[in-house]
Every structure is written in structure tokens, then in C-alpha cells.
């Protein structure tokens, strides 16, 4: 039975590039995101490239729905070998630390922290039994490097990053790998990159480089294949500066 990757937060940028990269290695693909119409379009594109993909519409800001979602993917494919978690929403945005409040953090926490934890909990029994599994997380640079005026997302992602490091250390001897791709750039062809770039420029904020999602997907494949680092930065030596 061929292996399966579940792409959580699948879109026209990184998600479809990850599906293509793993699909070239014979993986079947579960695509998860909120909008069924966009998922169906991606399924059609991948099918034209000879990659078997199935859409699973779901709201990833609702962690309580994860067990049923993972069960549905497993029922369709019979297994899940790799999870890539990287939902990016146009609703997300940075907040200066001095303006941050509990309500903002509460709004970000389900999608960026609680749901990935629940996804791991849902797939872990299968991976532990099989002695193999990979969890890949896409996160922004502010998870690792706090910057003035660019808070909100960072503290929540930093908590997830902390969890992932501990997770990898605990499960490595069981054949299970967890790795983070920390991205200090916008992602070409993604649905939110153009709007994000415009927002940064209008606020006289940092000018982020733009990464090709195919290059990021290649990094993911290398992380999955080699399992030799918990975290991969892209670019490897970011030089971003926040507004003064």
C-alpha cells in the first residue's frame, strides 16, 4: 500500500508544492483546508499530474474536530505516514506587543497551537504501532526571533515550536520525526502573500523576500528523508529588520 501525506492548510502556495513533491515519490495526498471549491481545484490539478489526491474540507481553527477528520482520512486511504501542518489565513496578522491582549492570543491559539497538538495525538497511536511517522510544521520567523511591532503570531508559534522540539526528542527512538520549517519570507503563489507584502510596505515594515514554494517543499522532503535536524530556516541566515 503506497504511503500517504496529509497536507493541513493546503493552498496554492506551499500546500500544493508539498503535495507535488511527495506525490513524485509515490505518496497519495489528503488535502485539508476550509474551502471545498479550492480543494477540489487542487485535486483536479494534481490528478492531471498523475497524483492521487482527495479533498477533506475542515475548519482547522476547531481542534475538537480533529479526531473525526483524521479518522476520515484514514478510512479513505488506510494509513497516514506524513503530516504537513501549515495553514495560513488572511485573517492572521501581527500585533505590536504593547497592544497585545488576551483576546488576540485566544483567537490565534486554536489554529496555531491547539490543532497541531490534536493532530499529533490523533496520528500517534498508528505511528507508534508502525514505528514510523513524520510531522512537519511550517511556521513564521517570529516564532524563533521576536521582533518589535511583530508580535501576536510569534508568541503562539513559539509555544508550538517549544512543543515540537520536545516531541521530536521524546519520539525519535520510536521512529517518529517532528521537524519545523521556519520561513522568513513570503511564499510565492500563495493566496495571502501579495496582500501581506502590501500591508508590510504600507506600514513601512520589513521587506520580506519571496520564496518559491517548490524550494520549500524540497526542504521538507530533505527533512523527512534525512531526519537530521529539528528545525530548518529559510533563508538559512535571515536578516530581517522590524520597523523602529
Amino acid at each position: 500500500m503506497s504511503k500517504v501525506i496529509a497536507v493541513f492548510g493546503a493552498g496554492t502556495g506551499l500546500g500544493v508544492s508539498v503535495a507535488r513533491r511527495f506525490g513524485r515519490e509515490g505518496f497519495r495526498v489528503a488535502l485539508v483546508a476550509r474551502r471545498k471549491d479550492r480543494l477540489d481545484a487542487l485535486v483536479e490539478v494534481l490528478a492531471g499530474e498523475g497524483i492521487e489526491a482527495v479533498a477533506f474540507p475542515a475548519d482547522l481553527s476547531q481542534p475538537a474536530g480533529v479526531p473525526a477528520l483524521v479518522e476520515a482520512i484514514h478510512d479513505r486511504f488506510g494509513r497516514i505516514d506524513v503530516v504537513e501542518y501549515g495553514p495560513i489565513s488572511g485573517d492572521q496578522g501581527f500585533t505590536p506587543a504593547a497592544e497585545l491582549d488576551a483576546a488576540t492570543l485566544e483567537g490565534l491559539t486554536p489554529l496555531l497551537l491547539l490543532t497541531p497538538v490534536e493532530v499529533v495525538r490523533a496520528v500517534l497511536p498508528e505511528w507508534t504501532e508502525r514505528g514510523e511517522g513524520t510531522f512537519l510544521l511550517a511556521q513564521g520567523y517570529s516564532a524563533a526571533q521576536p521582533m518589535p511591532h511583530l508580535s501576536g503570531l510569534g508568541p503562539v508559534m513559539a509555544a508550538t515550536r517549544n512543543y515540537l522540539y520536545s516531541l521530536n526528542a521524546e519520539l525519535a527512538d520510536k521512529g517518529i520525526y517532528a521537524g519545523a520549517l521556519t520561513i522568513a519570507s513570503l511564499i510565492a503563489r500563495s493566496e495571502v502573500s501579495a496582500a501581506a507584502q502590501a500591508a508590510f510596505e504600507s506600514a513601512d515594515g520589513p521587506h520580506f523576500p519571496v520564496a518559491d514554494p517548490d524550494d520549500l517543499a524540497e526542504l521538507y522532503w530533505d527533512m523527512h528523508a534525512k531526519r537530521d535536524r529539528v528545525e530548518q530556516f529559510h533563508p538559512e541566515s535571515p536578516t530581517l529588520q522590524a520597523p523602529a
Side-chain angles (χ1 to χ4, degrees):
M1 182 183 296
S2 59
K3 292 186 175 182
V4 175
I5 180 170
V7 180
F8 286 78
T12 57
L14 181 57
V16 72
S17 289
V18 171
R20 285 193 178 105
R21 182 62 187 90
F22 280 76
R24 291 205 304 270
E25 304 294 333
F27 278 70
R28 296 170 291 160
V29 182
L31 298 174
V32 182
R34 280 188 301 178
R35 292 189 51 177
K36 184 178 185 302
D37 57 340
R38 293 183 181 179
L39 289 178
D40 288 343
L42 294 179
V43 167
E44 186 175 348
V45 168
L46 292 170
E49 300 172 11
I51 299 171
E52 180 184 349
V54 177
F56 293 87
D59 183 355
L60 295 177
S61 68
Q62 302 295 324
V66 167
L69 171 61
V70 170
E71 184 178 0
I73 296 171
H74 199 276
D75 287 347
R76 172 59 179 80
F77 287 111
R79 61 189 294 148
I80 299 172
D81 299 271
V82 178
V83 167
E84 190 274 326
Y85 191 90
I88 300 173
S89 169
D91 299 333
Q92 299 170 8
F94 292 105
T95 303
E99 300 175 12
L100 193 60
D101 57 20
T104 300
L105 292 173
E106 283 181 342
L108 294 167
T109 298
L111 182 68
L112 299 178
L113 175 60
L114 303 184
T115 294
V117 169
E118 286 300 296
V119 170
V120 171
R121 283 174 53 84
V123 298
L124 198 53
E126 175 190 357
W127 289 359
T128 302
E129 181 179 356
R130 196 163 56 233
E132 184 181 29
T134 296
F135 181 81
L136 300 170
L137 174 75
Q139 62 183 6
Y141 184 55
S142 63
Q145 180 58 60
M147 292 181 284
H149 303 281
L150 299 180
S151 189
L153 293 169
V156 180
M157 292 189 298
T160 311
R161 179 175 182 257
N162 177 291
Y163 161 76
L164 186 135
Y165 265 81
S166 297
L167 185 72
N168 185 74
E170 292 173 14
L171 298 177
D173 63 353
K174 297 178 173 61
I176 299 168
Y177 167 70
L181 178 58
T182 301
I183 305 168
S185 62
L186 300 174
I187 301 174
R189 302 191 294 278
S190 70
E191 295 158 359
V192 300
S193 63
Q197 185 66 64
F200 285 127
E201 292 176 353
S202 66
D204 195 26
H207 290 260
F208 285 80
V210 179
D212 188 323
D214 293 344
D215 294 338
L216 299 177
E218 190 64 42
L219 288 174
Y220 261 152
W221 176 258
D222 191 65
M223 293 168 68
H224 164 70
K226 294 180 179 177
R227 301 178 169 219
D228 58 354
R229 67 275 202 197
V230 184
E231 187 169 15
Q232 171 72 53
F233 286 87
H234 183 83
E236 290 191 5
S237 300
T239 58
L240 303 179
Q241 291 185 346

